[in-house]
Amino acid sequence: MERLDRLIWRATDGMILIAVLGMVGLITLQVGSRLMGLSVPWTEELSRFLFIWTIWLGLAASFRTGAHPSLQMIPETAPRLVLIVMRVAQLGACITLFAVVGWHGWQLMHQQIRFGEQSPILRVGMWWATLPLVIGSVLAMLGMVIDSLRPLRPEPYQDTAS
């Protein structure tokens, strides 16, 4: 199971890297072509698609590592039971949010495929811009579960040399 988890997150990180590098390359091409008096119109649309992929996959990666925005209403020094209840509440709220977002994204993507909706310049299915919402929601839920399994508070330091 750990191997599958590592494979999923390495693939996610790899896709984020490809999307970011693709955006940098496309925007460089776009600016460079405009400076030379030419305009490459498809670079803007493709970089926007890659930006959407970056946002949703990056969001999922942040939930995996616990780097997501969160409210720290109760200090780490609170009783263990309170910390457990708060963690379960946070997990439940995030799973609910991403389940709803993912479900609506899935419905939108299905509608885009059914109606054959295409992007104006690239002429590719608009579902390519909606797919990261669905994948990102699923991965964010998985990442939130992984993050919720981390220890509640670090164990106190114990000097074993004495």
Side-chain angles (χ1 to χ4, degrees), residues 23 26-27 30 34 40-53 118-126 128-129:
M23 278 190 304
L26 288 168
I27 292 168
Q30 183 180 53
R34 286 186 182 172
V40 184
W42 55 268
T43 56
E44 191 272 331
E45 188 172 283
L46 184 54
S47 62
R48 190 178 326 141
F49 278 24
L50 292 175
F51 186 64
I52 293 168
W53 277 88
Q118 291 186 336
S119 67
I121 298 172
L122 292 173
R123 308 302 298 165
V124 297
M126 281 303 292
W128 280 103

Side-chain angles (χ1 to χ4, degrees), residues 82-100:
V82 172
L83 295 175
I84 291 171
V85 168
M86 290 303 294
R87 181 162 296 174
V88 168
Q90 181 184 23
L91 178 64
C94 288
I95 297 248
T96 302
L97 170 70
F98 288 116
V100 169

Side-chain angles (χ1 to χ4, degrees), residues 9 46 65 87 89 96 117 127 129 138:
W9 295 111
L46 184 54
T65 61
R87 181 162 296 174
T96 302
E117 187 178 343
W127 62 272
V138 170

Side-chain angles (χ1 to χ4, degrees), residues 4-59:
L4 176 62
D5 181 60
R6 189 176 23 207
L7 178 69
I8 289 170
W9 295 111
R10 281 192 180 169
T12 302
D13 291 342
M15 288 190 297
I16 293 169
L17 177 65
I18 290 168
V20 169
L21 291 176
M23 278 190 304
V24 169
L26 288 168
I27 292 168
T28 301
L29 176 62
Q30 183 180 53
V31 171
S33 68
R34 286 186 182 172
L35 287 174
M36 296 182 343
L38 305 167
S39 182
V40 184
W42 55 268
T43 56
E44 191 272 331
E45 188 172 283
L46 184 54
S47 62
R48 190 178 326 141
F49 278 24
L50 292 175
F51 186 64
I52 293 168
W53 277 88
T54 303
I55 289 170
W56 282 98
L57 294 178
L59 176 103

